[in-house]
Amino acid sequence: MTSTTTDASAPSWLPDEQATDAHRALRAWVREYKDLAAAARLAGWDQQTKLPPKGQAGRGRTLGALSAVLHEKATSPELDRLISAVEDVDPDGPEARVMRRGFEQSTKLPADLVREIAEASSAGYVAWDQARELDDFPTFQPHLERLLELSRRTAELYGYETEAYDALHDLYEEGSRAADLEPMFEALREPTNRLLDQQPEPDTSILERSWDVKGQEIFGIEVVTRMGFDFEAGRLDETVHPFCSGIGQFDTRLTTRYDEHWLPCSLFGTIHEAGHGIYDQSFDRLGLPATLGDAPGLGMHESQSRGYENVIGRSRPFWEHWFPRLQEVFPEATKGVTLDEFVKQVNTSKRSFIRVEADELSYNLHLAVRFELERAMINGDLSVKDLPEAWNAGFEKWFGLRPPSNREGVLQDVHWSGGSFGYFPTYTLGNVYAAQFTEVARRDIPNWDDLLRAGEYGPIVAWFDEHVYRHGEAFTGRQLVERITGGPVDVQPLVRYLESRFGQG
Amino acid sequence: MTSTTTDASAPSWLPDEQATDAHRALRAWVREYKDLAAAARLAGWDQQTKLPPKGQAGRGRTLGALSAVLHEKATSPELDRLISAVEDVDPDGPEARVMRRGFEQSTKLPADLVREIAEASSAGYVAWDQARELDDFPTFQPHLERLLELSRRTAELYGYETEAYDALHDLYEEGSRAADLEPMFEALREPTNRLLDQQPEPDTSILERSWDVKGQEIFGIEVVTRMGFDFEAGRLDETVHPFCSGIGQFDTRLTTRYDEHWLPCSLFGTIHEAGHGIYDQSFDRLGLPATLGDAPGLGMHESQSRGYENVIGRSRPFWEHWFPRLQEVFPEATKGVTLDEFVKQVNTSKRSFIRVEADELSYNLHLAVRFELERAMINGDLSVKDLPEAWNAGFEKWFGLRPPSNREGVLQDVHWSGGSFGYFPTYTLGNVYAAQFTEVARRDIPNWDDLLRAGEYGPIVAWFDEHVYRHGEAFTGRQLVERITGGPVDVQPLVRYLESRFGQG
């Protein structure tokens, strides 16, 4: 593995003053486009945090009207010309690649198909919600069949080299392929199950005590502010399904959910979203051009959210700093609790059926189940009617358990109901990237643990600024991994990390 | 004065089923336009309630981008054709009038002038804010001169019959004229000053006690919910300068400001905005077509906000119902306070310099000062450099007092800094309309006071549904007054109302 210093210091894009008129014109166009897109993002954020219930139908139409306006701009001959001008002067530059890829994604699907997908997703979501409620797969089946068919048509229109699944997965993680994901997941199976077998009887009784909700909010804001989330350029609000949304320039919004009797819900949820948020805020903070001011993919984004949440936020040195403050804010809930007990409980791991409630160790196997199934469906090797049985068999294969119901099995996740196939593996890619980056960063920052013990995150954020954030979309996730580690995407650092965190059980 | 029953029951617009294809096509177009405009309204609401400080510049660009998209639609040949089609089949219908008026307002100003006004307003606001801070009129003077010049050009482009001022005032209150406003204000001068002279030494010590802010929020929400504001189709949030915004269909948002040591700030502020909100929510509740689902002008809107706030919300019967609940929510702040003392303090009146802090009785004279000055400026009879002295002379004329500084005089209001001339009189028109409507409504609802004592507002809202709300923009404010009272706009009911409320002092 080579040293990363030389590569990492090379600039990946030209500042405005050194760029050509073609670059500047394209950047100005994208800035304006993103300013308009901010209205749609705000309307989406508001829908999930503030919108009064009777306003839902109108908001749906508002989002539809905005997306029509934005789609027209994103597929306009004007944008095509602006991109071509940059391609002429700088064909190998990152902006030509990123913008042409985006333009083709927007133009390759006919408007009819885009509308069909939107309608099928909307109906699919309603049917899924009902099917899950009733634990009745047949209610969802025809909708999933329709969404699968539309996704397969989409894959054909985007094109692929070896299998249809890659065309869809590539939308979320450029250059990542099913043929690479298969061995990645396989490499996690044995070590994860071995570690799971070694875990002690789960005990999370401390986390289930009464944790004052206002205190949770205060503590969460304090933690993520210290970590580097800038509340002068962001917010934290409540929602049902937490997310982070980069609304517009210097406006990044976190959401969370408070459960008085389950501290991790808001605590680690807020840190997770702040990981996304710190990444998102970096593009404005570091002055990236609008053309490149985004993460290159969902895996990279998850590497930050899961990195801050788990690698940092569940580590013992992190809590050496924060536990005394937790005791101050929650004198009752922390009564008689030692640091060791607390750290142990926030790292409890066990096999379970529901992905969104799963712990860090078992989490990846949930994605393995989904990856295998959606790959088979998209590639034509599995029909929707056989999916529930295939789910249960897959769960048995990866966990050695069979779900007691479809509700706790195939019906638990929203993704497929919205036509999102190829998305799930990006969660595990996030864990893989985070582990790879952390190994290098800990070599570059030998006092990593001492920094956490002191509640000092500046040097860690600075490392990510230098190696990841300042490039925006200029490199793909895979290219960033190679620049930083000197090698390809590699699951072994994640295996080593899980061994070190869960191996003493 | 004729009975209103026959007129008032006549429908003012055709339901979709009975309307022509031309009506339905225009209504569908406007619905879509308003759905898109909802994004701009949301972005404006968010800017004043939620937006993180560093996001201001980006939000300004987002609003600019949206307004360009909306302006293009509002001036499109497509809309012109749709309006013409309705004019062909229903030339005297309300939709032909309302939509043609709006289209002409959008198209009469050249795009260059619209942009110049936007820029001058933006710069004017900054300069005004600074000038007020420094109590330095010259800082603001050149900006106000520029804004005045642009407004006078605007007035010429819109056109008028007798004086330029009417062209601008008509934008806010269709059909209202300076020649009618002059005697209206004059009729208020003597009675108001006479009543002011009769008021006892002001005492608001109860209202300045410590009123728990969370309690203020709970109590305010309880009051306006009971009055008829629907929180399933609306919200209440905090802001610096409170307002009500109809965002989109079934989404109307109130804002307020809490001051622990000044209860009226949030209490009557929230009721005031809820008056706007109840009016705004009525258009969706009563199923008005998108073409007509709005108030016909600012005066009408103020008649509701000021009616709920003052006519109802500061009346003794109202507090006979609410005072016991106030004592429950604020046991400390209300200790030893009688209902009579409380009602007396919320109706305290005195001469003062600042309009936004003025009480119900003295309020109209503040508008009289502004009306005379802005009329003279727009009509070319007063130059900006002479404005501060003219302000002080005007204040002397109406109140018998001279402001101690420009900050407490000519620099206190934001309106002119945004190029809004002709707006101020609509506040007093609101009071005039409210008093006229209340006289008729109290005749139609003889148990009005008993309803307030019981905290029952249903029959009052139903009366406004029948006489005002269900017509939307189908009639102008002045036409509604004539339909309801059988006579013209008349200041005497307001004089009688003020006499009855403040005459016992």
Side-chain angles (χ1 to χ4, degrees), chain A residues 31 35 38-39 42-43 45-46 50-55 59 61-62 66 230 232-235 249-251 253, chain B residues 31 35 38-39 42-43 45-46 50-55 59 61-62 66 230 232-235 249-251 253:
Chain A
R31 179 70 271 155
D35 289 339
L42 178 69
W45 168 86
D46 182 84
K50 308 293 176 194
L51 185 66
K54 289 182 185 168
R59 179 57 49 84
R61 295 194 311 269
T62 295
L66 281 168
D230 179 4
E232 295 280 298
R235 298 180 47 86
Q249 206 171 24
F250 292 107
D251 183 9
R253 304 192 181 187
Chain B
R31 180 69 270 157
D35 290 338
L42 178 69
W45 168 85
D46 183 84
K50 308 292 175 194
L51 185 66
K54 290 182 185 169
R59 178 56 51 83
R61 296 194 311 269
T62 294
L66 281 168
D230 179 4
E232 295 280 299
R235 298 179 50 86
Q249 207 172 23
F250 292 107
D251 183 9
R253 304 191 182 188

Side-chain angles (χ1 to χ4, degrees), chain A residues 136-172:
Chain A
D136 181 59
F137 186 77
T139 296
F140 183 41
Q141 186 178 324
H143 293 273
L144 186 55
E145 281 165 351
R146 171 91 178 120
L147 287 159
L148 181 62
E149 188 241 323
L150 293 168
S151 291
R152 292 177 66 180
R153 272 168 59 195
T154 301
E156 295 305 321
L157 287 164
Y158 282 138
Y160 51 85
E161 281 176 22
T162 51
E163 56 184 293
Y165 184 81
D166 287 344
L168 302 178
H169 178 56
D170 189 83
L171 295 172
Y172 304 112

Side-chain angles (χ1 to χ4, degrees), chain A residues 357-391:
Chain A
E357 295 166 8
D359 54 80
E360 186 184 5
L361 172 58
S362 61
Y363 194 72
N364 300 301
L365 303 191
H366 288 274
L367 286 326
V369 173
R370 287 154 179 77
F371 162 66
E372 285 191 345
L373 297 172
E374 64 180 12
R375 184 188 191 190
M377 283 193 287
I378 292 294
N379 292 347
D381 302 326
L382 174 65
S383 69
V384 170
K385 78 169 177 356
D386 298 328
L387 177 63
E389 177 45 36
W391 179 286

Side-chain angles (χ1 to χ4, degrees), chain B residues 218-269:
Chain B
I218 290 166
F219 188 75
I221 288 175
E222 210 171 303
V223 169
V224 302
T225 302
R226 186 85 179 224
M227 284 178 135
F229 185 78
D230 179 4
F231 278 93
E232 295 280 299
R235 298 179 50 86
L236 172 67
D237 293 87
E238 281 185 67
T239 191
V240 178
H241 302 291
F243 61 96
C244 168
S245 177
I247 307 273
Q249 207 172 23
F250 292 107
D251 183 9
T252 300
R253 304 191 182 188
L254 316 178
T255 60
T256 196
R257 195 163 63 83
Y258 299 100
D259 180 342
E260 188 193 332
H261 292 285
W262 187 239
L263 178 65
C265 179
S266 84
L267 176 55
F268 294 106

Side-chain angles (χ1 to χ4, degrees), chain B residues 134-145:
Chain B
L134 304 172
D135 192 12
D136 181 57
F137 185 77
T139 298
F140 183 41
Q141 185 178 324
H143 293 274
L144 186 56
E145 281 165 350

Side-chain angles (χ1 to χ4, degrees), chain B residues 17-57:
Chain B
E17 317 80 70
Q18 294 167 31
T20 68
D21 284 349
H23 289 92
R24 281 192 291 268
L26 180 61
R27 291 170 182 185
W29 189 97
V30 176
R31 180 69 270 157
E32 215 172 294
Y33 176 84
K34 286 190 170 179
D35 290 338
L36 193 58
R41 290 176 175 219
L42 178 69
W45 168 85
D46 183 84
Q47 184 176 38
Q48 294 188 62
T49 55
K50 308 292 175 194
L51 185 66
K54 290 182 185 169
Q56 286 290 348

